[in-house]
Amino acid sequence: GEDGVRARLMTAIGRVFAHLGQPNRAEVLIERGLALRSALYGENHLEAAESLAALGQVRLAQKRLPEAEQLLRRALAIWSEVHGPEDLSSMWAASALGLVLMEEERFDEAEAQFQHALRVRVREYGPSSPSVLAVRSHIAAIRFRQKDYVAAAEVLQAILAEQTLPGRPEDLHLASTLNNLGLVLLRLDRAEEAERASARATEVRERLLPDGHPDLAASYNNLAVALYELRRFPEAADAFRAAANCTMKRHGRSHPGVALLRLQEARSLTNAERHSQANAVLTAALADAAAGLPADHPVILVLLETSGALQVELQQATRAVLTFEDLERRLMDSKDQDPWLLARARVGLATARLLQREVTRADAALQAALPVLAAEPDREPEVHEQADRLLKEIQRLRPREQ
Protein backbone atom coordinates (compact mmCIF):
# COMPACT_ATOMS: atom_id res chain seq x y z
CA GLY A 1 0.00 0.00 0.00
CA GLU A 2 0.85 3.66 -0.02
CA ASP A 3 2.23 3.58 3.52
CA GLY A 4 4.53 0.70 2.65
CA VAL A 5 5.89 2.59 -0.37
CA ARG A 6 6.44 5.67 1.79
CA ALA A 7 8.32 3.59 4.40
CA ARG A 8 10.56 2.06 1.71
CA LEU A 9 11.29 5.51 0.29
CA MET A 10 12.19 6.87 3.71
CA THR A 11 14.68 4.05 4.23
CA ALA A 12 16.11 4.36 0.72
CA ILE A 13 16.56 8.14 0.96
CA GLY A 14 18.01 7.76 4.44
CA ARG A 15 20.62 5.35 3.08
CA VAL A 16 21.50 7.89 0.39
CA PHE A 17 22.09 10.54 3.07
CA ALA A 18 24.24 8.04 4.98
CA HIS A 19 26.24 7.37 1.82
CA LEU A 20 26.74 11.14 1.40
CA GLY A 21 28.23 11.34 4.89
CA GLN A 22 25.18 12.88 6.58
CA PRO A 23 24.25 10.30 9.24
CA ASN A 24 22.09 12.63 11.33
CA ARG A 25 19.79 13.40 8.40
CA ALA A 26 19.78 9.71 7.52
CA GLU A 27 18.82 8.77 11.08
CA VAL A 28 15.57 10.78 11.05
CA LEU A 29 14.28 9.22 7.84
CA ILE A 30 15.34 5.66 8.62
CA GLU A 31 13.84 5.73 12.11
CA ARG A 32 10.54 6.97 10.66
CA GLY A 33 10.66 4.25 8.00
CA LEU A 34 11.40 1.60 10.64
CA ALA A 35 8.50 2.73 12.84
CA LEU A 36 6.11 2.68 9.90
CA ARG A 37 7.29 -0.72 8.64
CA SER A 38 7.08 -2.24 12.13
CA ALA A 39 3.53 -0.94 12.50
CA LEU A 40 2.50 -2.24 9.06
CA TYR A 41 4.25 -5.60 8.97
CA GLY A 42 5.45 -6.40 12.49
CA GLU A 43 8.89 -6.09 14.06
CA ASN A 44 10.14 -9.42 12.66
CA HIS A 45 9.26 -8.83 9.02
CA LEU A 46 11.87 -8.59 6.24
CA GLU A 47 10.80 -5.00 5.56
CA ALA A 48 11.61 -4.10 9.17
CA ALA A 49 14.92 -5.98 8.90
CA GLU A 50 16.08 -3.72 6.07
CA SER A 51 15.37 -0.60 8.12
CA LEU A 52 17.02 -2.12 11.20
CA ALA A 53 20.18 -2.82 9.22
CA ALA A 54 20.16 0.64 7.64
CA LEU A 55 19.84 2.20 11.08
CA GLY A 56 22.70 -0.01 12.24
CA GLN A 57 24.88 1.48 9.51
CA VAL A 58 23.95 4.97 10.69
CA ARG A 59 24.88 4.08 14.27
CA LEU A 60 28.23 2.82 12.98
CA ALA A 61 28.84 6.18 11.28
CA GLN A 62 27.89 7.91 14.54
CA LYS A 63 30.35 5.67 16.46
CA ARG A 64 27.50 4.29 18.58
CA LEU A 65 28.92 0.81 18.22
CA PRO A 66 26.94 -1.25 20.77
CA GLU A 67 23.67 0.02 19.30
CA ALA A 68 24.94 -0.64 15.78
CA GLU A 69 25.82 -4.23 16.65
CA GLN A 70 22.47 -4.88 18.28
CA LEU A 71 20.50 -3.48 15.32
CA LEU A 72 22.52 -5.39 12.73
CA ARG A 73 22.31 -8.68 14.62
CA ARG A 74 18.53 -8.27 14.94
CA ALA A 75 18.25 -7.64 11.20
CA LEU A 76 20.45 -10.61 10.30
CA ALA A 77 18.47 -12.88 12.62
CA ILE A 78 15.26 -11.96 10.79
CA TRP A 79 16.81 -12.57 7.37
CA SER A 80 18.27 -15.89 8.55
CA GLU A 81 14.93 -17.02 9.98
CA VAL A 82 13.12 -16.35 6.69
CA HIS A 83 15.73 -17.21 4.04
CA GLY A 84 18.57 -18.97 5.86
CA PRO A 85 22.01 -17.67 6.88
CA GLU A 86 23.37 -17.38 3.32
CA ASP A 87 20.70 -15.07 1.94
CA LEU A 88 22.42 -12.84 -0.61
CA SER A 89 20.20 -9.85 0.15
CA SER A 90 21.49 -9.72 3.74
CA MET A 91 25.22 -9.75 2.97
CA TRP A 92 25.52 -5.95 3.03
CA ALA A 93 24.32 -6.10 6.64
CA ALA A 94 26.80 -8.91 7.43
CA SER A 95 29.60 -6.69 6.09
CA ALA A 96 28.32 -3.76 8.14
CA LEU A 97 28.40 -5.94 11.26
CA GLY A 98 31.98 -6.87 10.38
CA LEU A 99 32.87 -3.17 10.28
CA VAL A 100 31.32 -2.65 13.70
CA LEU A 101 33.32 -5.56 15.15
CA MET A 102 36.50 -4.26 13.52
CA GLU A 103 35.96 -0.82 15.11
CA GLU A 104 35.66 -2.61 18.45
CA GLU A 105 38.95 -4.41 17.65
CA ARG A 106 37.26 -7.81 17.68
CA PHE A 107 39.23 -8.76 14.61
CA ASP A 108 38.60 -12.52 14.50
CA GLU A 109 34.84 -12.02 14.75
CA ALA A 110 34.98 -9.25 12.14
CA GLU A 111 36.94 -11.41 9.71
CA ALA A 112 34.44 -14.26 10.17
CA GLN A 113 31.64 -11.91 9.08
CA PHE A 114 33.62 -10.70 6.07
CA GLN A 115 34.61 -14.21 5.01
CA HIS A 116 30.96 -15.30 5.25
CA ALA A 117 29.83 -12.37 3.07
CA LEU A 118 32.72 -13.02 0.68
CA ARG A 119 31.83 -16.69 0.23
CA VAL A 120 28.19 -15.93 -0.59
CA ARG A 121 29.01 -13.09 -2.97
CA VAL A 122 31.73 -15.03 -4.83
CA ARG A 123 29.27 -17.88 -5.34
CA GLU A 124 26.63 -15.53 -6.76
CA TYR A 125 28.72 -12.95 -8.65
CA GLY A 126 32.18 -14.41 -9.23
CA PRO A 127 35.53 -13.34 -7.73
CA SER A 128 35.91 -10.03 -9.59
CA SER A 129 32.57 -8.34 -8.94
CA PRO A 130 32.61 -4.92 -7.23
CA SER A 131 30.71 -6.27 -4.22
CA VAL A 132 33.31 -9.03 -3.75
CA LEU A 133 36.20 -6.56 -4.05
CA ALA A 134 34.52 -4.32 -1.47
CA VAL A 135 34.52 -7.15 1.08
CA ARG A 136 38.13 -7.96 0.30
CA SER A 137 38.98 -4.33 1.04
CA HIS A 138 37.47 -4.78 4.51
CA ILE A 139 39.80 -7.72 5.08
CA ALA A 140 42.69 -5.47 4.04
CA ALA A 141 41.47 -2.98 6.65
CA ILE A 142 41.73 -5.67 9.34
CA ARG A 143 45.33 -6.38 8.31
CA PHE A 144 46.03 -2.64 8.52
CA ARG A 145 44.51 -2.39 11.99
CA GLN A 146 46.61 -5.40 13.03
CA LYS A 147 49.69 -3.51 11.70
CA ASP A 148 50.39 -6.20 9.10
CA TYR A 149 51.04 -3.57 6.45
CA VAL A 150 52.70 -5.89 3.95
CA ALA A 151 49.66 -8.19 3.91
CA ALA A 152 47.30 -5.20 3.68
CA ALA A 153 49.24 -3.83 0.70
CA GLU A 154 49.13 -7.19 -1.07
CA VAL A 155 45.35 -7.45 -0.71
CA LEU A 156 44.79 -3.86 -1.87
CA GLN A 157 47.12 -4.18 -4.85
CA ALA A 158 45.27 -7.34 -5.94
CA ILE A 159 41.96 -5.47 -5.68
CA LEU A 160 43.40 -2.53 -7.61
CA ALA A 161 44.53 -4.84 -10.41
CA GLU A 162 40.91 -6.00 -10.83
CA GLN A 163 39.47 -2.47 -10.60
CA THR A 164 41.77 -1.08 -13.27
CA LEU A 165 41.07 -3.70 -15.92
CA PRO A 166 39.99 -2.24 -19.30
CA GLY A 167 36.35 -1.20 -19.26
CA ARG A 168 36.13 -0.75 -15.50
CA PRO A 169 34.85 2.70 -14.44
CA GLU A 170 36.77 5.09 -12.20
CA ASP A 171 34.25 4.95 -9.38
CA LEU A 172 34.20 5.46 -5.62
CA HIS A 173 35.24 1.84 -5.01
CA LEU A 174 38.43 2.52 -6.95
CA ALA A 175 38.97 5.77 -5.03
CA SER A 176 38.58 3.94 -1.71
CA THR A 177 41.14 1.29 -2.71
CA LEU A 178 43.63 3.95 -3.84
CA ASN A 179 43.12 5.97 -0.69
CA ASN A 180 43.64 2.94 1.56
CA LEU A 181 46.65 1.81 -0.44
CA GLY A 182 48.16 5.26 0.02
CA LEU A 183 47.78 4.95 3.79
CA VAL A 184 49.41 1.50 3.83
CA LEU A 185 52.31 2.60 1.62
CA LEU A 186 53.02 5.49 3.97
CA ARG A 187 53.35 2.99 6.83
CA LEU A 188 55.80 1.07 4.66
CA ASP A 189 57.87 4.25 4.04
CA ARG A 190 57.02 4.20 0.34
CA ALA A 191 56.01 7.86 0.19
CA GLU A 192 56.34 8.38 -3.57
CA GLU A 193 53.99 5.49 -4.32
CA ALA A 194 51.68 6.70 -1.54
CA GLU A 195 51.52 10.16 -3.08
CA ARG A 196 50.60 8.77 -6.50
CA ALA A 197 47.85 6.59 -5.06
CA SER A 198 46.48 9.39 -2.86
CA ALA A 199 46.54 11.94 -5.68
CA ARG A 200 44.57 9.64 -7.96
CA ALA A 201 42.06 8.87 -5.19
CA THR A 202 41.61 12.59 -4.62
CA GLU A 203 41.00 13.23 -8.33
CA VAL A 204 38.25 10.60 -8.47
CA ARG A 205 36.58 11.78 -5.27
CA GLU A 206 36.71 15.43 -6.35
CA ARG A 207 34.80 14.41 -9.45
CA LEU A 208 32.20 12.20 -7.76
CA LEU A 209 31.64 13.56 -4.24
CA PRO A 210 30.14 16.84 -3.01
CA ASP A 211 32.19 19.45 -1.17
CA GLY A 212 32.29 18.70 2.52
CA HIS A 213 32.09 14.92 2.18
CA PRO A 214 34.27 13.26 4.85
CA ASP A 215 35.85 10.87 2.33
CA LEU A 216 37.00 13.82 0.24
CA ALA A 217 38.49 15.49 3.32
CA ALA A 218 40.27 12.21 4.14
CA SER A 219 41.76 12.07 0.63
CA TYR A 220 43.08 15.63 0.88
CA ASN A 221 44.60 14.83 4.27
CA ASN A 222 46.25 11.61 3.12
CA LEU A 223 47.67 13.35 0.06
CA ALA A 224 48.98 16.15 2.28
CA VAL A 225 50.74 13.69 4.60
CA ALA A 226 52.44 11.98 1.64
CA LEU A 227 53.56 15.33 0.22
CA TYR A 228 54.87 16.37 3.63
CA GLU A 229 56.87 13.14 3.89
CA LEU A 230 58.36 13.94 0.47
CA ARG A 231 59.26 17.44 1.75
CA ARG A 232 57.06 19.04 -0.90
CA PHE A 233 55.91 21.50 1.72
CA PRO A 234 54.09 24.13 -0.39
CA GLU A 235 51.95 21.42 -2.01
CA ALA A 236 51.38 19.79 1.38
CA ALA A 237 50.14 23.14 2.75
CA ASP A 238 47.67 23.43 -0.15
CA ALA A 239 46.35 19.92 0.48
CA PHE A 240 46.00 20.45 4.26
CA ARG A 241 44.13 23.69 3.50
CA ALA A 242 41.79 21.84 1.15
CA ALA A 243 41.15 19.20 3.85
CA ALA A 244 40.44 21.95 6.40
CA ASN A 245 38.02 23.75 4.08
CA CYS A 246 36.24 20.50 3.29
CA THR A 247 35.92 19.64 6.99
CA MET A 248 34.76 23.19 7.74
CA LYS A 249 31.84 22.86 5.33
CA ARG A 250 30.60 19.89 7.33
CA HIS A 251 31.44 20.83 10.91
CA GLY A 252 31.97 24.60 11.06
CA ARG A 253 35.03 26.76 11.64
CA SER A 254 35.57 25.98 15.34
CA HIS A 255 35.67 22.19 15.00
CA PRO A 256 38.86 20.63 16.47
CA GLY A 257 39.49 18.72 13.25
CA VAL A 258 39.57 21.96 11.28
CA ALA A 259 42.04 23.49 13.74
CA LEU A 260 44.36 20.48 13.57
CA LEU A 261 44.40 20.54 9.78
CA ARG A 262 45.20 24.26 9.80
CA LEU A 263 47.97 23.55 12.27
CA GLN A 264 49.42 21.07 9.78
CA GLU A 265 49.06 23.67 7.04
CA ALA A 266 51.01 26.13 9.19
CA ARG A 267 53.75 23.58 9.89
CA SER A 268 54.06 22.90 6.17
CA LEU A 269 54.32 26.64 5.46
CA THR A 270 56.96 26.98 8.18
CA ASN A 271 59.02 24.21 6.60
CA ALA A 272 58.60 25.96 3.26
CA GLU A 273 60.03 29.09 4.98
CA ARG A 274 56.78 30.98 4.51
CA HIS A 275 56.78 32.08 8.12
CA SER A 276 54.46 35.07 7.82
CA GLN A 277 51.82 32.98 6.06
CA ALA A 278 52.16 30.27 8.71
CA ASN A 279 51.72 32.86 11.46
CA ALA A 280 48.56 34.20 9.79
CA VAL A 281 47.11 30.68 9.49
CA LEU A 282 47.77 29.95 13.16
CA THR A 283 46.28 33.28 14.27
CA ALA A 284 43.08 32.63 12.29
CA ALA A 285 42.88 29.03 13.50
CA LEU A 286 43.22 30.13 17.11
CA ALA A 287 40.50 32.76 16.77
CA ASP A 288 38.10 30.26 15.20
CA ALA A 289 38.87 27.48 17.70
CA ALA A 290 38.50 29.87 20.66
CA ALA A 291 35.00 30.77 19.47
CA GLY A 292 33.73 27.23 20.03
CA LEU A 293 36.12 25.29 22.29
CA PRO A 294 36.97 25.47 26.02
CA ALA A 295 39.98 27.58 26.98
CA ASP A 296 42.03 24.50 27.93
CA HIS A 297 41.02 22.32 24.98
CA PRO A 298 44.09 20.35 23.78
CA VAL A 299 43.77 21.78 20.27
CA ILE A 300 43.90 25.36 21.55
CA LEU A 301 46.92 24.54 23.70
CA VAL A 302 48.88 23.04 20.83
CA LEU A 303 47.97 25.97 18.58
CA LEU A 304 49.25 28.41 21.21
CA GLU A 305 52.49 26.49 21.70
CA THR A 306 53.11 26.29 17.95
CA SER A 307 52.29 30.00 17.54
CA GLY A 308 54.69 30.95 20.31
CA ALA A 309 57.50 28.89 18.80
CA LEU A 310 56.94 30.46 15.39
CA GLN A 311 56.90 33.97 16.88
CA VAL A 312 60.26 33.21 18.51
CA GLU A 313 61.58 32.09 15.14
CA LEU A 314 60.31 35.34 13.59
CA GLN A 315 62.03 37.31 16.39
CA GLN A 316 58.64 38.64 17.53
CA ALA A 317 59.69 38.58 21.17
CA THR A 318 56.81 40.54 22.69
CA ARG A 319 54.15 38.52 20.87
CA ALA A 320 55.90 35.28 21.80
CA VAL A 321 55.99 36.24 25.49
CA LEU A 322 52.27 37.09 25.45
CA THR A 323 51.46 33.81 23.70
CA PHE A 324 53.46 31.64 26.10
CA GLU A 325 52.08 33.54 29.12
CA ASP A 326 48.58 32.87 27.81
CA LEU A 327 49.45 29.19 27.38
CA GLU A 328 50.96 28.98 30.88
CA ARG A 329 47.87 30.60 32.40
CA ARG A 330 45.47 28.23 30.63
CA LEU A 331 47.49 25.21 31.72
CA MET A 332 47.61 26.39 35.33
CA ASP A 333 43.86 27.03 35.35
CA SER A 334 43.01 23.69 33.75
CA LYS A 335 41.25 21.14 35.94
CA ASP A 336 43.32 18.42 34.23
CA GLN A 337 46.67 20.11 34.73
CA ASP A 338 49.53 18.35 32.94
CA PRO A 339 52.89 19.13 34.62
CA TRP A 340 54.88 18.18 31.52
CA LEU A 341 52.92 20.46 29.19
CA LEU A 342 53.25 23.26 31.75
CA ALA A 343 57.01 22.72 31.93
CA ARG A 344 57.25 22.77 28.15
CA ALA A 345 55.28 26.04 28.04
CA ARG A 346 57.68 27.54 30.60
CA VAL A 347 60.68 26.53 28.50
CA GLY A 348 59.01 28.34 25.59
CA LEU A 349 58.36 31.37 27.81
CA ALA A 350 62.00 31.37 28.95
CA THR A 351 63.10 31.32 25.31
CA ALA A 352 60.88 34.30 24.50
CA ARG A 353 62.02 36.21 27.61
CA LEU A 354 65.65 35.65 26.67
CA LEU A 355 64.90 37.01 23.21
CA GLN A 356 63.83 40.21 25.01
CA ARG A 357 67.08 40.06 26.99
CA GLU A 358 65.03 39.75 30.20
CA VAL A 359 67.53 37.32 31.70
CA THR A 360 66.17 37.23 35.25
CA ARG A 361 62.61 36.57 34.12
CA ALA A 362 63.82 33.99 31.60
CA ASP A 363 65.71 32.23 34.40
CA ALA A 364 62.62 32.26 36.64
CA ALA A 365 60.51 30.60 33.94
CA LEU A 366 63.20 28.01 33.26
CA GLN A 367 63.76 27.24 36.94
CA ALA A 368 60.02 26.56 37.32
CA ALA A 369 60.27 23.97 34.53
CA LEU A 370 63.49 22.19 35.56
CA PRO A 371 62.11 19.97 38.38
CA VAL A 372 59.56 18.44 35.99
CA LEU A 373 62.21 17.92 33.31
CA ALA A 374 64.54 16.31 35.86
CA ALA A 375 61.78 13.88 36.88
CA GLU A 376 61.41 12.68 33.27
CA PRO A 377 64.94 12.67 31.80
CA ASP A 378 64.08 10.48 28.79
CA ARG A 379 60.93 12.27 27.65
CA GLU A 380 61.09 14.48 24.53
CA PRO A 381 64.89 14.89 24.28
CA GLU A 382 64.49 18.05 22.20
CA VAL A 383 62.83 19.82 25.16
CA HIS A 384 65.74 18.85 27.44
CA GLU A 385 68.22 20.05 24.80
CA GLN A 386 66.40 23.39 24.51
CA ALA A 387 66.43 23.80 28.30
CA ASP A 388 70.17 23.02 28.44
CA ARG A 389 70.89 25.64 25.76
CA LEU A 390 68.81 28.20 27.63
CA LEU A 391 70.58 27.50 30.91
CA LYS A 392 74.00 28.00 29.32
CA GLU A 393 72.90 31.21 27.60
CA ILE A 394 71.41 32.58 30.84
CA GLN A 395 74.66 31.81 32.70
CA ARG A 396 76.63 33.54 29.96
CA LEU A 397 74.43 36.66 30.01
CA ARG A 398 74.04 37.02 33.79
CA PRO A 399 77.28 38.94 34.41
CA ARG A 400 76.28 41.47 31.72
CA GLU A 401 72.86 41.98 33.29
CA GLN A 402 74.43 42.57 36.69
Side-chain angles (χ1 to χ4, degrees):
E2 185 176 320
D3 286 343
V5 171
R6 186 161 65 250
R8 281 192 290 276
L9 280 173
M10 286 177 184
T11 302
I13 296 169
R15 291 186 69 187
V16 170
F17 279 125
H19 178 71
L20 293 174
Q22 299 180 42
N24 294 336
R25 294 184 71 179
E27 176 184 27
V28 174
L29 286 166
I30 293 170
E31 283 184 334
R32 288 171 61 190
L34 174 59
L36 190 52
R37 281 174 150 175
S38 296
L40 288 171
Y41 308 113
E43 294 183 353
N44 295 318
H45 194 277
L46 287 173
E47 295 270 346
E50 184 192 7
S51 292
L52 285 167
L55 188 57
Q57 283 188 312
V58 169
R59 294 289 181 260
L60 170 60
Q62 295 169 328
K63 304 299 182 186
R64 294 161 62 176
L65 301 179
E67 293 175 62
E69 181 179 354
Q70 182 183 38
L71 288 161
L72 288 162
R73 287 195 185 280
R74 277 179 60 196
L76 287 166
I78 295 168
W79 266 304
S80 181
E81 180 69 25
V82 177
H83 291 305
E86 298 202 347
D87 175 35
L88 180 62
S89 64
S90 68
M91 289 303 103
W92 63 275
S95 292
L97 177 58
L99 292 172
V100 172
L101 296 168
M102 182 170 67
E103 285 298 308
E104 294 180 325
E105 299 189 349
R106 294 156 61 183
F107 297 126
D108 290 344
E109 294 174 75
E111 184 158 357
Q113 288 293 325
F114 293 141
Q115 293 291 357
H116 174 61
L118 189 64
R119 184 172 61 253
V120 173
R121 286 178 169 176
V122 167
R123 185 183 65 222
E124 296 292 332
Y125 299 127
S128 300
S129 75
S131 64
V132 167
L133 298 180
V135 179
R136 288 171 64 190
S137 74
H138 297 328
I139 295 172
I142 290 178
R143 301 289 175 266
F144 181 85
R145 296 283 293 272
Q146 292 172 322
K147 295 182 170 54
D148 189 349
Y149 302 127
V150 172
E154 288 173 354
V155 174
L156 289 167
Q157 285 166 334
I159 295 169
L160 189 61
E162 296 282 354
Q163 290 175 326
T164 53
L165 289 171
R168 287 287 181 97
E170 287 200 334
D171 58 12
L172 291 174
H173 296 297
L174 172 65
S176 179
T177 302
L178 288 163
N179 184 72
N180 295 336
L181 181 59
L183 282 172
V184 173
L185 292 170
L186 275 173
R187 297 299 193 282
L188 293 170
D189 295 322
R190 292 158 62 180
E192 289 186 5
E193 295 171 81
E195 186 274 332
R196 287 195 294 272
S198 298
R200 192 171 170 199
T202 303
E203 289 170 8
V204 175
R205 284 177 167 171
E206 281 179 330
R207 197 166 63 245
L208 299 177
L209 292 175
D211 271 357
H213 194 286
D215 288 350
L216 183 56
S219 281
Y220 286 132
N221 180 68
N222 295 343
L223 175 59
V225 171
L227 291 165
Y228 193 95
E229 289 293 314
L230 292 169
R231 305 186 66 79
R232 291 161 58 180
F233 297 122
E235 295 169 84
D238 290 342
F240 279 126
R241 187 182 313 116
N245 290 338
C246 193
T247 305
M248 195 185 305
K249 286 184 173 70
R250 179 173 170 78
H251 295 294
R253 305 185 71 87
S254 62
H255 190 270
V258 174
L260 288 172
L261 288 164
R262 294 170 85 180
L263 173 65
Q264 293 302 105
E265 178 191 354
R267 285 174 172 163
S268 300
L269 290 167
T270 300
N271 283 318
E273 299 186 357
R274 297 181 182 178
H275 301 298
S276 296
Q277 286 177 261
N279 201 23
V281 169
L282 286 170
T283 300
L286 260 170
D288 288 339
L293 298 175
D296 62 346
H297 193 284
V299 167
I300 289 181
L301 301 180
V302 75
L303 285 169
L304 281 168
E305 186 175 25
T306 306
S307 293
L310 182 56
Q311 288 155 3
V312 166
E313 193 167 339
L314 293 172
Q315 302 288 298
Q316 296 175 354
T318 301
R319 288 189 66 187
V321 165
L322 292 172
T323 299
F324 279 117
E325 284 181 336
D326 185 12
L327 176 59
E328 181 186 40
R329 184 168 54 253
R330 290 172 192 253
L331 286 165
M332 290 180 69
D333 291 344
S334 174
K335 63 181 184 299
D336 300 317
Q337 192 177 109
D338 185 326
W340 179 262
L341 292 181
L342 184 56
R344 208 165 65 188
R346 285 168 169 163
V347 170
L349 178 57
T351 305
R353 288 288 186 201
L354 204 56
L355 195 61
Q356 289 182 316
R357 287 298 187 261
E358 293 189 4
V359 180
T360 300
R361 297 179 77 179
D363 188 38
L366 183 59
Q367 292 301 324
L370 288 178
V372 178
L373 299 187
E376 300 197 58
D378 299 322
R379 187 171 178 180
E380 295 186 45
E382 66 276 9
V383 177
H384 289 278
E385 290 166 9
Q386 185 181 357
D388 290 342
R389 287 194 301 270
L390 284 170
L391 196 58
K392 290 174 184 176
E393 184 65 8
I394 287 168
Q395 290 168 348
R396 186 181 71 81
L397 292 172
R398 265 210 181 283
R400 298 184 190 180
E401 186 184 60
Q402 293 169 352

